[in-house]
Amino acid sequence: MTIPYQDDADNLTGQVRAACARREPLRIRGSGSKTFYTGPCEGRPLSTLAHTGIVHYEPTELVLTARSGTPLARIEAALAESGQMLGFEPPHFGTGATWGGTVACGLSGPRRPWGGSVRDAVLGCRIVNGRGDVLSFGGEVMKNVAGFDISRLMAGALGTLGLLLEISVKVQPRPECEMTRCFDGSSAEARERMIQWGGSGLPMTAMAWDGRLYLRLSGPEKAVSAAVRRVGGDALVSADAFWSSLREQTHGFFAGAGDLWRLSLPPAASLDGLSGAWLLDWGGAQRWLRAADAGPAEVCAAVQAVGGHARLFRTANPAAERCAPLAPALAGLHRRVRAAFDPEGIFNRGLWQEAF
Amino acid sequence: MSPERCTRGEDREAFLLELRRILPAEALLSDAEDLRPFECDALSAYTVLPWIAVLPATVGQVQAVLRLCHSHGVPVVARGAGTGLSGGALPVADGVLLSLAKFNRILEVDPANRMARVQPGVRNLAISEAAARFGLYYAPDPSSQVACTIGGNVAENSGGVHCLKYGLTVHNVLQVTLLTIEGDLLTLGSLGLDGPGYDLLAVVNGSEGLLGVIVEVVVKLLPLPETARTLLAAFDGIEAAGDAVAGVIGAGLLPAGLEMMDKLTLRATEEFVHAGYPVDAAAIVLCEMDGMAEQVEAEIARARQVLAAHGALEVRESRDEAERRKFWAGRKAAFPAVGRIAADYYCIDGTIPRKRLAQVLGRIGELSEQYGLAVGNVFHAGDGNLHPLILYDASLPGELERAEALGEDILTFCVEVGGTVTGEHGVGVEKLNPMCVQFSAPALRQFHALKEAFDDKGLLNPGKAVPTLARCAEFGHVHVHGGRLRHSELERF
Ligand SMILES: Cc1cc2nc3c(=O)[nH]c(=O)nc-3n(C[C@H](O)[C@H](O)[C@H](O)COP(=O)(O)OP(=O)(O)OC[C@H]3O[C@@H](n4cnc5c(N)ncnc54)[C@H](O)[C@@H]3O)c2cc1C
Ligand SMILES: Cc1cc2nc3c(=O)[nH]c(=O)nc-3n(C[C@H](O)[C@H](O)[C@H](O)COP(=O)(O)OP(=O)(O)OC[C@H]3O[C@@H](n4cnc5c(N)ncnc54)[C@H](O)[C@@H]3O)c2cc1C
């Protein structure tokens, strides 16, 4: 397969080196599709948009390597042509989402508990660190324990540890057949069922609740039909549209004003103390809370009490604190880790300041 | 080196006195005789008697030991069960060997959230045994699972047969509680599916005891599969078997295990366990599917087609659980079986892109002839993770060195075809030189910088996992590949 591409690595590296020399902050920018999530940061923009192309894709190896400015949509299209997909089902949040931004944000869609997260899929990467060194970690093989796993550390680091040039990930075969069943019931009933199904061997790839409970089953046709016979429920006709509305947050739940909190927690945990509008995804392990009655400190504390953590995902208030600060020793370690990659604090200065 | 004095000028008796204040007498070992059991891990070619060994029983005790070592500048090497194959838990002569053996309790199995909270010294298999009554299990299954500990598994990011489908340790650990060398207690990850801040949990997996001492682990549990069935396919060429493996993956199948054995290993294991293997075959492939009965049926049928299309001489299907176990008995006993036919063997651990399997196996055959040492191949074929076993006789002068040189050539070839020098056993002290082949000087510098962020004095497991730049320069000097000097950017002596 020949795919037209453009290698802008030298230019990007040159810009980082120049910024290092001047100790000038840089703001790494793909398409800007997830600014709402990252919040504002300082610096001269450094655009990855000219650094595009799938460098290597071998369907029988289940591995894809692409440059960071490549549109996510193009990567997904190339995979679909070979009957494959990204197991983490990433949200785009806009038409221009880039490969680098996808990995830097580390966000995963409804398939995550079964298909793995972004970091789970990452096998290797090439980065420029804050010293202007171009470095390769990991690779294109499934198992690799040579050296520290710096590639996975890049997932979700929001570009604060370096500029991603290329990222290799493990991809997955698309299931032969997929069906979604839905069920009426309260959130408490839904949670009961999620626990029960979660501990069964059903071939499922998504479980969510928005007032109704949805179960997506995937696999060989025979297996999916057998699973459908076991669970019952009603067929959901436009299932793909439903899961994509959940992933892209175009679902009605996400419309309107009011802070949107993302809670990550053990799937069976109960949060009876918090009220607001709820949507459950990831079989209960990722919950969205809109227009919470409680303040940020209470939301964070309630989720921490059950062993999870909360982040303000969308807010109209740019000055809002987005998460609870890390414990002091952990915060100190974060600062040292950041300095180990970017001693002068060149990349995306200001991001994550609230955390450490 | 005499164990009596620390090279850093620390007085051993004075240090023992301080340790006695924080540890009960039975938790402190200092006689050479008592220290002997800790002098190596499963890579027994390297031995070092530790300066002192401690066996704390509480997190508070570990913390106190680490603080003391930090303030005195004494190195610390953590040890689980000592089954490591790369010398990761090899003691340092001027340091404390910290055994986690007493941390062997399963603190909680939480079936509703499908997780278990365990101490680091809990054996891998014990977790699945405890979870079984809830219909759950812990998926990563290194062959050493009856003995190795979860702390060691996290430190090595261990894998096993199940990892093709269910991931490595890193994919199955939710949270790790870690003590830094300064005695700070850190919680990485969360009980949800991700944690706040940087993904330091990912970094700690596979960090070989260099970043902190793991004192608690929360692992993910999976539902026990309803059914599992295995195919055993025989091939008349090892290359054909390699191609068949790539074919299974290429067909969109994700087996719960996809393993391969060559003729030498096949015959040795058949003699040992009588699994009924077709000993005339040049190689066999074991392919297991698990899940719901209907799913397994569909997938087994598809896999059978693919194996046959790739020229399998014969494909057998396990008829029942007993036969399935029998198919695996040989694979699981392959190492000891080979151990019976050779005086010694040296087990390598490289990973390559799957489609290079046939090419790399061919090259291993050539190298085996060139060095005059037999090599048996048994490996996690689905992951491209090779374990060539080099047969040698340590009592013959020069044979160990020849075996090591052959091993290094194999690993270098793995890197040349786009692979890595270790897929699951870790670098330890064993693969420091091959690391110089795989990584550039700036990348190694970045590893050292990350290590310093956790452990600024470099006291945790010093001399392991990441080679110094000086070592690589020296190694590069003697190691010239194809007339080309690797990493010419390195300063040389
Ligand atoms: C026209 C325009 C103007 C903007 N003006 C501002 C402004 O004034 N102030 C401001 O704070 N922000 C501004 N932003 C957005 C800011 O740059 C975002 O924080 C970030 O760039 C998100 O862009 P993105 O498309 O890469 O998003 P995504 O692709 O959604 O990336 C999100 C995150 O990933 C990081 N990232 C993306 N690619 C890489 C990579 N290759 N390597 C490492 N990290 C990466 C980004 O830095 C960001 O943290 C602007 C964006 C645009 C398009
Ligand atoms: C017969 C045999 C088969 C094997 N098969 C496999 C296999 O299939 N897959 C595989 O991956 N490995 C395999 N191994 C290797 C080994 O069993 C694994 O690497 C295992 O994870 C080591 O666990 P351990 O408890 O024995 O650790 P140890 O050998 O005691 O230590 C290993 C490393 O972990 C560090 N460490 C241990 N505990 C802690 C802790 N609590 N905190 C911080 N660091 C710690 C040590 O410092 C050392 O660097 C095999 C070994 C043998 C002997």
Side-chain angles (χ1 to χ4, degrees):
Chain A
M1 197 184 323
T2 50
I3 294 149
Y5 60 80
Q6 187 181 344
D7 185 345
D8 198 36
D10 288 344
N11 170 37
L12 289 170
T13 308
Q15 289 194 56
V16 173
R17 287 184 181 153
C20 291
R22 292 196 294 268
R23 301 185 173 191
E24 174 196 51
L26 288 174
R27 193 170 71 216
I28 305 171
R29 185 154 104 188
S31 73
S33 64
K34 292 170 195 66
T35 315
F36 73 86
Y37 170 69
T38 60
C41 63
E42 294 171 36
R44 200 163 59 80
L46 178 71
S47 172
T48 64
L49 292 179
H51 188 54
T52 61
I54 294 171
V55 180
H56 183 211
Y57 171 41
E58 185 70 50
T60 63
E61 293 286 321
L62 301 179
V63 175
L64 175 140
T65 301
R67 299 202 177 93
S68 54
T70 314
L72 178 58
R74 223 166 100 193
I75 291 174
E76 289 179 331
L79 290 170
E81 257 177 50
S82 297
Q84 297 184 337
M85 63 178 188
L86 297 169
F88 47 93
E89 218 178 14
H92 291 232
F93 296 137
T95 50
T98 64
W99 188 225
T102 300
V103 175
C105 289
L107 302 173
S108 306
R111 197 178 296 268
R112 189 266 172 259
W114 300 275
S117 62
V118 180
R119 77 88 123 124
D120 288 343
V122 168
L123 297 174
C125 66
R126 208 149 70 85
I127 66 165
V128 191
N129 68 8
R131 292 184 188 83
D133 295 331
V134 177
L135 310 170
S136 289
F137 299 106
E140 296 193 318
V141 292
M142 296 297 149
K143 267 170 147 184
N144 184 355
V145 292
F148 299 124
D149 196 344
I150 285 176
S151 323
R152 288 199 169 91
L153 178 61
M154 293 298 139
L158 298 180
T160 57
L161 299 178
L163 170 71
L164 288 157
L165 290 176
E166 272 172 28
I167 309 113
S168 304
V169 294
K170 177 177 177 168
V171 303
Q172 293 182 12
R174 244 168 213 281
E176 181 185 308
C177 163
E178 235 165 39
M179 282 188 214
T180 297
R181 308 299 289 180
C182 47
F183 307 81
D184 291 322
S186 68
S187 73
E189 286 163 349
R191 285 220 322 274
E192 276 296 302
R193 276 199 145 126
M194 285 177 172
I195 293 171
Q196 188 203 332
W197 286 336
S200 75
L202 289 172
M204 67 191 131
T205 54
M207 267 201 286
W209 178 85
D210 69 355
R212 276 209 298 175
L213 171 63
Y214 303 84
L215 173 64
R216 183 170 66 188
L217 298 155
S218 315
E221 203 274 328
K222 259 171 141 180
V224 172
S225 309
V228 165
R229 284 195 298 277
R230 281 194 213 182
V231 296
D234 304 321
L236 181 68
V237 199
S238 42
D240 285 350
F242 170 76
W243 294 111
S244 123
S245 76
L246 209 62
R247 190 186 70 216
E248 301 298 337
Q249 301 194 336
T250 53
H251 183 288
F253 171 86
F254 297 98
D259 285 352
L260 177 70
W261 284 91
R262 172 185 184 264
L263 316 184
S264 175
L265 70 187
S270 95
L271 281 177
D272 295 336
L274 289 182
S275 52
W278 288 99
L279 185 140
L280 275 55
D281 197 358
W282 294 8
Q286 174 176 254
R287 300 185 202 170
W288 300 98
L289 172 61
R290 226 162 57 77
D293 292 336
E298 284 165 88
V299 173
C300 290
V303 182
Q304 277 177 352
V306 296
H309 60 106
R311 183 177 167 93
L312 190 51
F313 199 81
R314 288 180 192 265
T315 177
N317 172 12
E321 304 250 313
R322 289 179 170 254
C323 56
L326 298 169
L330 191 55
L333 178 60
H334 273 67
R335 283 191 292 271
R336 295 194 300 277
V337 167
R338 184 166 184 171
F341 285 87
D342 182 10
E344 303 289 347
I346 286 172
F347 294 117
N348 291 354
R349 194 180 285 176
L351 285 193
W352 274 19
Q353 242 158 15
E354 74 270 30
F356 57 90
Chain B
M1 189 181 300
S2 151
E4 296 309 313
R5 277 194 76 81
C6 178
T7 54
R8 285 159 216 238
E10 198 62 39
D11 184 313
R12 187 163 173 267
E13 285 314 313
F15 193 73
L16 277 169
L17 213 61
E18 297 220 40
L19 279 172
R20 272 192 203 106
R21 267 188 238 149
I22 52 181
L23 290 174
E26 76 276 6
L28 199 53
L29 305 175
S30 58
D31 291 346
E33 212 149 294
D34 296 335
L35 294 174
R36 194 70 63 197
F38 300 105
E39 70 180 1
C40 66
D41 62 8
L43 180 64
S44 53
Y46 300 88
T47 58
V48 172
L49 207 60
W51 194 51
I52 293 167
V54 297
L55 291 94
T58 68
V59 172
Q61 287 173 357
V62 179
Q63 197 166 30
V65 169
L66 291 172
R67 287 194 172 136
L68 190 66
C69 289
H70 184 251
S71 69
H72 289 253
V74 172
V76 181
V77 178
R79 180 185 174 99
T83 67
L85 287 168
S86 56
L90 181 73
V92 291
D94 56 357
V96 167
L97 190 279
L98 193 161
S99 164
L100 280 307
K102 289 186 182 164
F103 287 83
N104 58 0
R105 280 191 307 133
I106 294 176
L107 302 170
E108 183 189 1
V109 177
D110 176 353
N113 287 308
R114 298 185 303 281
M115 59 176 84
R117 202 157 57 85
V118 305
Q119 292 188 322
V122 168
R123 291 174 308 110
N124 173 297
L125 191 60
I127 303 175
S128 290
E129 285 166 355
R133 69 191 172 102
F134 303 105
L136 301 169
Y137 78 116
Y138 174 66
D141 55 345
S143 309
S144 52
Q145 67 181 151
V146 289
C148 65
T149 69
I150 190 71
N153 289 175
V154 172
E156 298 288 1
N157 191 14
S158 287
V161 168
H162 275 136
C163 292
L164 173 62
K165 181 167 178 183
Y166 298 105
L168 308 168
T169 302
V170 67
H171 300 114
N172 289 278
V173 166
L174 295 167
Q175 184 176 291
V176 160
T177 310
L178 187 82
L179 276 171
T180 66
I181 185 70
E182 288 173 75
D184 287 333
L185 194 68
L186 306 177
T187 305
L188 307 178
S190 82
L191 303 184
L193 291 173
D194 42 39
Y198 292 135
D199 200 338
L200 298 176
L201 181 61
V203 177
V204 163
N205 275 278
S207 62
E208 304 196 27
L210 266 71
L211 303 183
V213 175
I214 297 157
V215 292
E216 196 180 293
V217 184
V218 179
V219 299
K220 202 156 95 176
L221 300 174
L222 298 181
L224 277 165
E226 189 178 285
T227 323
R229 236 188 293 164
T230 306
L231 295 176
L232 188 163
F235 292 86
D236 60 5
I238 191 149
E239 289 83 5
D243 287 342
V245 164
V248 169
I249 303 287
L253 292 164
L254 205 53
L258 187 56
E259 303 278 310
M260 192 169 146
M261 284 162 95
D262 70 2
K263 190 174 197 131
L264 186 151
T265 323
L266 194 59
R267 291 198 167 164
T269 50
E270 184 55 26
E271 265 171 41
F272 185 39
V273 296
H274 311 293
Y277 286 163
V279 287
D280 294 332
I284 60 163
V285 169
L286 288 169
C287 173
E288 176 158 301
M289 299 298 180
D290 69 4
M292 244 175 64
E294 295 84 350
Q295 185 177 358
V296 170
E297 196 182 316
E299 289 175 351
I300 282 278
R302 182 86 184 92
R304 203 181 235 290
Q305 277 173 1
V306 176
L307 292 166
H310 280 83
L313 302 172
E314 172 194 6
V315 184
R316 294 185 204 164
E317 183 175 334
S318 63
R319 279 161 301 190
D320 51 29
E321 191 54 20
E323 192 170 22
R324 188 182 75 84
R325 283 180 192 280
K326 206 168 152 194
F327 282 2
W328 283 108
R331 168 64 185 90
K332 300 245 170 190
F335 288 15
V338 170
R340 287 170 78 237
I341 61 165
D344 301 279
Y345 70 81
Y346 177 38
C347 174
I348 318 280
D349 163 43
T351 311
I352 55 164
R354 262 181 307 252
K355 66 166 181 201
R356 306 281 196 172
L357 262 177
Q359 182 192 355
V360 173
L361 292 172
R363 179 75 188 130
I364 291 174
E366 284 169 26
L367 287 168
S368 160
E369 260 177 46
Q370 187 184 318
Y371 279 90
L373 294 174
V375 179
N377 283 292
V378 47
F379 50 89
H380 309 301
D383 293 307
N385 184 201
L386 309 178
H387 291 314
L389 301 172
I390 302 174
L391 278 49
Y392 72 100
D393 184 347
S395 67
L396 298 177
E399 278 229 333
L400 170 63
E401 290 71 21
R402 271 219 325 278
E404 285 179 336
L406 169 51
E408 227 159 72
D409 279 0
I410 294 174
L411 290 182
T412 304
F413 194 65
C414 289
V415 175
E416 273 168 26
V417 300
T420 174
V421 299
T422 172
E424 57 181 21
H425 294 168
V427 173
V429 290
E430 183 200 20
K431 295 178 208 88
L432 287 169
N433 288 341
M435 283 288 283
C436 303
V437 177
Q438 189 169 339
F439 289 97
S440 69
L444 292 172
R445 237 180 253 129
Q446 184 64 70
F447 284 149
H448 287 294
L450 180 64
K451 157 82 169 166
E452 263 173 51
F454 281 81
D455 172 18
D456 63 342
K457 293 188 186 171
L459 295 175
L460 282 168
N461 217 0
K464 315 284 175 65
V466 184
T468 60
L469 294 172
R471 183 189 181 110
C472 289
E474 207 171 342
F475 174 71
H477 200 68
V478 298
H479 211 79
V480 180
H481 292 285
R484 232 165 9 99
L485 210 55
R486 285 188 161 263
H487 303 308
S488 47
E489 73 275 18
L490 282 179
E491 65 266 39
R492 278 157 215 281
F493 298 127

